[in-house]
Amino acid sequence: MRSLTEEETKVVFEKLANYIGRNITFLIDNPTDPHVFRLQKDRVYYISEKISKFATSVSRTQLMSVGVCFGKFTKTGKFRLHITALTYLSQYAKYKVWIKQNGEMPYLYGNHVLKAHIGRMSDDIPEHAGVIVYSMNDIPLGFGVSAKSTNEARNLQPTAIVAFRQGDIGEYLREEDTLFT
């Protein structure tokens, strides 16, 4: 387990900024319980600084996981967020989309968010911005990227895609064999 390099940190923060904007500072600059990002086998973990110091006494081969996995680096150097980061993303989300109950199951089965399934959405969502998808009961279901801005989405057909799915809580079941390898 090691600290992120400057380039890796930049890539991770750019991805997080798509979803939570300047609220990244709340993840790191917490004086009562400071947290850090650490890399272990191409996966980025969000760990309490105190636990991170304890984890250094465990060898890299013996250490499987520590903290919350925020995502992983691909072989091409891109960073992909994992669904395990959803609780932190939803706390500090800039743009939100709530879907009706009839749209929850299609979304959790891996489909994109359609206009017909939108219950409400944040104002001023730009096109291709990171959004957090909630149920109408304010339960975070996943995250994605807006296909259209809020103003454009109001004039779409009911079958048009409003947000592209990138991760949802249904992934735990669909990809449980590959998620933790």
Side-chain angles (χ1 to χ4, degrees):
M1 188 171 67
R2 65 170 175 84
S3 298
L4 295 157
T5 64
E6 193 171 312
E7 183 63 31
E8 290 168 341
T9 304
K10 181 182 174 208
V11 172
V12 170
F13 282 11
E14 283 175 357
K15 181 64 96 168
L16 289 174
N18 288 340
Y19 294 94
I20 61 177
R22 295 194 178 270
N23 293 336
I24 293 173
T25 56
F26 294 125
L27 289 176
I28 298 167
D29 297 335
N30 185 350
T32 57
D33 188 22
H35 280 67
V36 292
F37 287 100
R38 294 288 184 251
L39 187 73
Q40 170 74 9
K41 297 179 184 172
D42 292 333
R43 297 188 190 280
V44 176
Y45 293 93
Y46 181 64
I47 312 164
S48 168
E49 196 172 280
K50 190 166 111 178
I51 294 173
S52 173
K53 289 177 183 174
F54 289 134
T56 57
S57 64
V58 179
S59 70
R60 287 186 184 191
T61 56
Q62 297 290 322
L63 187 64
M64 299 247 331
S65 166
V66 61
V68 176
C69 181
F70 258 51
K72 71 180 238 178
F73 282 100
T74 62
K75 292 180 181 172
T76 58
K78 295 180 181 175
F79 182 70
R80 297 201 56 196
L81 280 171
H82 279 186
I83 192 62
T84 50
L86 181 63
T87 53
Y88 293 97
L89 293 176
S90 63
Q91 285 177 354
Y92 305 115
K94 234 178 11 176
Y95 303 116
K96 302 175 183 181
V97 172
W98 289 266
I99 56 177
K100 297 176 190 171
Q101 191 171 4
N102 66 339
E104 287 180 22
M105 288 310 289
Y107 180 74
L108 295 177
Y109 282 127
N111 297 319
H112 302 301
V113 178
L114 302 179
K115 167 75 161 77
H117 297 152
I118 297 288
R120 66 182 197 256
M121 59 193 301
S122 300
D123 293 334
D124 304 329
I125 298 176
E127 190 172 359
H128 304 300
V131 295
I132 306 299
V133 179
Y134 291 88
S135 69
M136 292 304 283
N137 298 328
D138 282 332
I139 299 170
L141 300 176
F143 54 88
V145 175
S146 62
K148 302 287 183 186
S149 67
T150 304
N151 294 335
E152 292 172 340
R154 290 187 179 118
N155 302 327
L156 291 175
Q157 297 287 331
T159 57
I161 295 173
V162 175
F164 299 114
R165 183 201 72 83
Q166 289 193 333
D168 63 77
I169 55 177
E171 278 183 39
Y172 281 119
L173 300 175
R174 289 194 311 272
E175 299 178 14
E176 81 180 297
D177 59 334
T178 60
L179 196 60
F180 299 105
T181 57

